[in-house]
Structures are given as C-alpha cells and as structure tokens.
Amino acid sequence: MEKGKLYGVSIGPGDGELITLKAMKVIEKCRHIATPETGTSDSLALSIVEGIADLSGKEIMGLSFPMTKDKEILARCHNEAADAIAEVLDSGNDVAMLNLGDITIYSTFAYVMNILLERDYDVELVPGVTSFCASAGELKISLTTMNEPLHIIPATGVDLKEALSLPGTKVLMKIGRSMPKLIEVLGELGLEDNVYAVENCGLENEKIYKGLNEFDGEMGYFTIVVVK
C-alpha cells in the first residue's frame, strides 16, 4: 500500500482571511487534520481554521506539545506525535498538520517533520503569512528599506543588549516572561520612540503598542516586538 503524505500547513497569525488558497485546498482534501495542543484541549490553530472552513467529517488529531524547555519531555512529545501521524500515513491517508504563522519560523512541526523524513515519509510544506509581516501591516510600517537588514530574534536565550544593537530592524518573537527584561533593556538603550508591538495579531483581542510608554509587562506570549 502506498503511504500517505504529511502536509505542514501554515495558517498565518490569526486572521482567517490570511490563510492561503493552497493551505485551504490541502485542508479540504485531507480527512485527517493534526493540530497542536499546549497544555489544554484547546487549539488556537484549529479554532482559526474552524472559523473559515467546514471540518465536519474530518478526523481531528490533537497532538500534545507542552510549553516547556525540558528537552527530554519535548523529544518524547515530538516522537509521540510523529508515531501518531505515521500510523495514519501507513494506512495510505494524508495528514494536514496545522501551524500558526509560517511553517518554517519557530514551528513545532519542524521537529516532527525531521523525524518522519528520517523514516522516509513524504512531506510537503505549505508556506504562509508570518506574524511579524502581518504585525508590520497592522502597524503601517516597513520592516526594511534599501539595504537595511532584518533580524528575527527569539527574546529568550539571547543577550538582548547585543541583539538590539544589531544594525537594521529587529523583530523579537517568543516573548513570554522576557517582556519585563526587554522593556528594561529598551529603556537603557534609549529606544523608547523606536519600538512597536502587536499582541495577538489578527485575533479579536489584538492590541497595538507604539512607543515604549505604551508597553505593558503583562503582554502575552503571542506578542511581536519591532525595533527600528
């Protein structure tokens, strides 16, 4: 029996209208939809797709990816997810795995994909709108001009002063509990008027911040910070 194919499907940052036509076609044709769950039974990715697509008759596969930095726990979850998907692929069925933003930017899918590629399964990636591009659109700013570089930086695990001293535009992602420290460093570097943020871009509770004086240390995980 011919094995099925795994599709990594980018669904954008939150606004269902930003999901590409190709992503919609893949979701429509796949009976098995895999979706990440982080600690609860709710899936933001799935809820976004449910807002614009009819998923009746689909088999929804909830894959557990806890919000932890424990490498052993993460490795176990990645392998369990890969095993669950492989079982469906072995039956000859395709699987569409949903991913917020773009499938190539800080995606859990990448870990699952690498495991399945090593097992010789067929995988296809469907690119999408990134959260930082959508955020720049909401802010009505350009991320780059002429020869200006653009840096995509995780807010955790890096030297923030060094990162914010890079030339060009800096986009900080995966903020989490780093927001108070980030606010402190931005103030120390005198970047009060050159910083922007979008929280929950494209969702009903979206918030836009212009200037450090508007920032809030309680801004959530899905916050994009842009430093010009």
Side-chain angles (χ1 to χ4, degrees), residues 193-209:
D193 301 323
N194 301 304
V195 61
Y196 311 83
V198 178
E199 183 179 13
N200 301 318
C201 183
L203 300 174
E204 291 183 358
N205 56 343
E206 175 185 285
K207 292 183 180 179
I208 294 176
Y209 306 82

Side-chain angles (χ1 to χ4, degrees), residues 69 127 151 216:
K69 294 183 180 179
H151 306 276
D216 179 354

Side-chain angles (χ1 to χ4, degrees), residues 168-180:
T169 301
K170 280 75 63 175
V171 169
L172 292 108
M173 304 179 65
K174 305 172 69 175
I175 304 294
R177 297 189 180 96
S178 299
M179 183 58 77

Side-chain angles (χ1 to χ4, degrees), residues 28 63 85 124 126 178:
E28 288 171 359
L63 305 177
I85 292 172
E124 181 176 333
V126 180
S178 299

Side-chain angles (χ1 to χ4, degrees), residues 8-127:
V9 182
S10 305
I11 62 167
D15 182 349
E17 293 186 348
L18 294 180
I19 300 179
T20 66
L21 289 174
K22 184 169 185 178
M24 288 300 299
K25 288 179 180 178
V26 170
I27 291 169
E28 288 171 359
K29 82 170 186 175
C30 290
R31 188 164 69 88
H32 296 266
I33 307 296
T35 182
E37 297 175 351
T38 56
T40 70
S41 59
D42 297 327
S43 168
L44 177 57
L46 182 63
S47 67
I48 293 169
V49 172
E50 286 176 329
I52 63 166
D54 180 8
L55 299 184
S56 58
K58 304 285 188 183
E59 295 290 336
I60 306 300
M61 304 171 58
L63 305 177
S64 176
F65 298 116
M67 300 291 283
T68 178
K69 294 183 180 179
D70 188 308
K71 293 183 179 180
E72 290 186 5
I73 294 176
L74 290 173
R76 184 179 73 247
C77 291
H78 295 156
N79 278 283
E80 289 175 351
D83 290 342
I85 292 172
E87 185 176 349
V88 177
L89 299 179
D90 288 341
S91 69
N93 291 294
D94 296 334
V95 176
M97 181 171 170
L98 308 180
N99 189 91
L100 291 171
D102 178 81
I103 204 76
T104 64
I105 305 292
Y106 295 124
S107 72
T108 300
F109 172 83
Y111 299 99
V112 177
M113 173 186 70
N114 289 336
I115 294 170
L116 292 172
L117 284 175
E118 289 178 359
R119 300 182 189 178
D120 294 324
Y121 286 95
D122 191 10
V123 179
E124 181 176 333
L125 275 65
V126 180

Side-chain angles (χ1 to χ4, degrees), residues 131-147:
S131 56
F132 52 87
C133 286
S135 294
E138 292 296 289
L139 291 164
K140 297 179 176 60
I141 61 173
S142 172
L143 290 174
T144 59
T145 54
M146 295 297 288
N147 299 321

